[in-house]
Amino acid sequence: MSKNVSNNETLFARAQLTTPGGVNSPVRAFRSVGGTPRFITRASGPHFWDANGTRYIDYIGSWGPAIVGHTHPAVVKAVQDAAAKGLSFGAPTEGEIIMAEEICKLVPSIEQVRLVSSGTEAAMSALRLARGATGRDTVIKFEGCYHGHADSLLVKAGSGLLTFGNPTSSGVPEDFAKHTMVLDYNNCEQLEEVFKNLGSTIACVIVEPIAGNMNLMRSTPEFLQTMRRLCSQHGALLLFDEVMSGFRVALGGAQSLYGVLPDMTVLGKVIGGGLPVAAFGGRADLMKHLAPLGGVYQAGTLSGNPVAVAAGMATLKIIQKPGFYESLSTQTKKLTDGLTQAAKEAGIEFCADAIGGMFGIYFTSDVPTDYAHMMKCDKDRFNKFFHAMLDAGVYLAPSAFEAGFVSAQHDDAAINETLQCARAAFAKIAAH
Ligand SMILES: *Cc1c(COP(=O)(O)O)cnc(C)c1O
């Protein structure tokens, strides 16, 4: 293997020699859709290019962060300016205060916030804080929601209602999983029943208020209102994981759309603008339990890193420009309406949903509102569609159960080109 003929195939073969599966995060390996992962060399606006020199219209946007488009000049300049002043100090900086002030201003329920480096770290820390503040161990999560890969959260439903969960990963002790109960998304009665039986032992409920890790799925307003009421009645805390939905479905996240306020919120993805920033925050009387004020320990060498914070702040500034979300929503809706129309013309069973700059496409007749229905979407058809689109230069998430992302740089030209590719892809599927 010569380094001179690097292309996707040779890079993937080479990567597998020194990196497990050739990737640093599993979904990148294309296992669900098959084929060779594309190795990306550069990006600009709504596009990126792979090692074979092929250009793609990008609909993952780094799984959400690239909301203003790739290599936005203001973000690149902020990073360059910050880097020139020093990469990391291990001591506080004013940039961290500015970012905390901005998050407290933008997210309705956050009074105080702590910065960390990944969504996993933020969710794990918020969970520890919830347990520390309540003095309780039990955590409730929902099937299909992802909250990073901390031990307590890699848990799936047990064999029946009111039983505790089973680990979804080897290496997670049963003793950890037994403190996590996994319930059905959008099922209010089940939640009522669990609180009736176990209410006084529940530390927190953690939920994606708009789910993006089982494809896109909206929660019903009743679902969020019910968990808010039950948590307040039973002294449990409500944690919204808005790592994906935050600054993505709306400037104030899903909580601003539903008007349901959690006790704590977990953020990531968009707030780093493409560099590693995540955060968890909430009521000041809860946040005071964190070290150095309180007994819940949490720390990080690179937390609030000045270069990462600069990228995040530059991004947060751009998304606050008047009309940003209106325009983002319009473009996303053009995409999903166009895809739906194209599928209809080809006679393919298909539907789509969009919220802000996030979308879901489903090979089924109605937009799923529960996990079981979502799992019934036609995965083979998705995989065929994915590859037809990829061959035509459109990069969708390489799994039927991931959401898609549109950036502010996806102009009419990019959307129209995508729809033209989609008409050909649907026609190809219909012919089989
Ligand atoms: C991506 C994601 C995480 C994990 O964030 P990482 O930065 O990948 O660790 C947690 N929760 C949700 C809802 C996410 O979408």
Side-chain angles (χ1 to χ4, degrees), residues 161-183:
L161 181 61
L162 304 192
T163 61
F164 283 83
N166 299 320
T168 53
S169 163
S170 58
V172 175
E174 300 274 344
D175 280 349
F176 293 4
K178 78 179 187 202
H179 298 293
T180 304
M181 181 166 263
V182 185
L183 304 182

Side-chain angles (χ1 to χ4, degrees), residues 363-383:
F363 284 84
T364 185
S365 56
D366 304 294
V367 175
T369 54
D370 63 61
Y371 181 75
H373 182 188
M374 187 68 82
M375 290 304 117
K376 288 196 195 111
C377 290
D378 192 331
K379 186 168 171 278
D380 288 342
R381 277 209 160 158
F382 171 82
N383 288 356

Side-chain angles (χ1 to χ4, degrees), residues 34 77 107 129 241 264 357:
K77 179 158 192 315
V107 184
L129 178 54
D241 182 347
M264 278 196 274

Side-chain angles (χ1 to χ4, degrees), residues 117-121 123 146-149 208 213 241 243-244 269:
S117 301
S118 75
T120 291
E121 195 187 350
Y146 177 67
H147 307 292
H149 61 86
E208 286 183 78
N213 288 286
D241 182 347
V243 169
M244 194 177 271
K269 299 197 167 101

